[in-house]
Amino acid sequence: MNLVIRPAAPEEAEEALKLYRSLLGREGVTWDEGYPNAEIVGEDIARGNLYAAFEDGRIVAAAALEEEAETD
């Protein structure tokens, strides 16, 4: 297996969203049809926060890295 991990590019947003959508309904997944959406994925990519793992040029995993928000 040749796995490459790097920030996702704008042209890979649709593929990343398809991966996210494929997880809907699985145990532990709290997402729904409205979240994450194309806008959120695009924003994550634009900020350089969406990292993807590629195998044979295909996204097999993805994660958005965010700074933790301060809470009171």
Side-chain angles (χ1 to χ4, degrees):
M1 173 170 52
N2 186 18
L3 198 62
V4 175
I5 299 172
R6 63 168 172 75
E11 61 272 13
E12 296 159 337
E14 186 175 330
E15 186 178 0
L17 184 56
K18 282 182 185 179
L19 174 67
Y20 287 166
R21 293 281 165 88
S22 75
L23 301 173
L24 296 181
R26 292 190 183 211
E27 186 177 343
V29 176
T30 59
W31 297 336
D32 59 29
E33 288 295 326
Y35 181 87
N37 58 36
E39 182 179 354
I40 291 167
V41 171
E43 289 171 355
D44 287 341
I45 289 174
R47 287 193 305 267
N49 293 347
L50 183 65
Y51 284 77
F54 296 83
E55 184 176 45
D56 299 325
R58 183 175 72 86
I59 296 177
V60 296
L65 305 178
E66 300 286 337
E67 289 187 38
E68 188 173 337
E70 288 188 36
T71 58
D72 292 327

